């Protein structure tokens, strides 16, 4: 698996998937569709390598099913969050917020005409109903914020 580059704001071709940093996340990640499935995590071999101690080595995986992105949590310690819900697996639609560790991204990509509507969300808990345990000896991560 190739490692993607973390870059400043830049326009992207329609074949690319952009994870646009929100709030304290001040960078974007460009991911080519041919890099899918892509592991997100701290591991040196992760396609999307993020340097945050609240992110597991292999935190989650993004893949594509019939033109729609799907994210699957890979038993991460602090969870993978989509639009404020901690999920096991979920569709990622354009405009959705993906949060891992203390980082939050808006997902942008073009879906082909006729792609299924999405709506898959297998959740574990809601952000409003859980207090996240601290990651390691550090303060609680702001997942989903």
């Amino acid at each position: 698996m190739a490692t993607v580059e973390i870059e400043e704001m830049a326009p992207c071709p329609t074949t690319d998937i952009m994870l646009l940093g929100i709030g304290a996340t001040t960078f974007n990640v460009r991911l080519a569709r041919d890099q899918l499935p892509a592991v997100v995590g701290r591991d040196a071999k992760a396609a999307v390598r993020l340097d945050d101690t609240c992110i597991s080595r292999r935190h989650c995986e993004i893949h594509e099913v019939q033109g729609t992105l799907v994210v699957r949590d890979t038993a991460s310690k602090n969870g993978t969050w989509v639009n404020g819900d901690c999920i096991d697996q979920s569709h990622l639609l354009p405009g959705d917020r993906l949060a891992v560790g203390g980082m939050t991204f808006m997902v942008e990509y073009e879906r082909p005409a006729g792609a299924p509507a999405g709506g898959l969300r297998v959740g574990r808990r809601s952000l409003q109903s859980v207090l996240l345990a601290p990651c390691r000896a550090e303060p609680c991560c702001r997942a989903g914020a």
Side-chain angles (χ1 to χ4, degrees):
M1 242 182 258
T3 300
V4 296
E5 292 183 29
I6 296 175
E7 58 184 42
E8 296 300 318
M9 300 284 184
C12 65
T14 58
T15 58
D16 286 349
I17 298 152
M18 289 297 290
L19 302 178
L20 306 172
I22 298 174
T25 307
T26 58
F27 59 89
N28 299 329
V29 176
R30 180 186 308 232
L31 184 62
R33 286 181 191 258
D34 64 4
Q35 292 178 283
L36 299 177
V39 171
V40 177
R42 287 185 297 114
D43 191 87
K45 294 180 182 177
V48 179
R49 189 171 184 279
L50 301 173
D51 188 22
D52 179 338
T53 58
C54 293
I55 295 174
S56 299
R57 285 185 181 88
R58 297 180 52 86
H59 197 95
C60 63
E61 182 177 272
I62 299 172
H63 58 281
E64 186 174 23
V65 177
Q66 298 177 345
T68 301
L69 294 183
V70 176
V71 62
R72 180 179 58 85
D73 185 81
T74 53
S76 65
K77 182 175 180 176
N78 291 306
T80 299
W81 301 76
V82 174
N83 297 329
D85 291 322
C86 190
I87 57 90
D88 287 321
Q89 182 168 291
S90 175
H91 280 126
L92 275 178
L93 301 176
D96 279 352
R97 289 174 295 116
L98 171 66
V100 292
M103 298 183 185
T104 304
F105 301 93
M106 180 179 296
V107 179
E108 289 297 335
Y109 68 100
E110 285 191 25
R111 297 175 67 220
L120 166 73
R121 186 148 299 150
V122 180
R124 291 190 284 184
R125 56 195 181 261
S126 169
L127 181 60
Q128 291 76 25
S129 66
V130 67
L131 293 173
L132 292 177
C135 63
R136 300 187 183 186
E138 299 174 3
C140 182
C141 295
R142 295 182 15 231

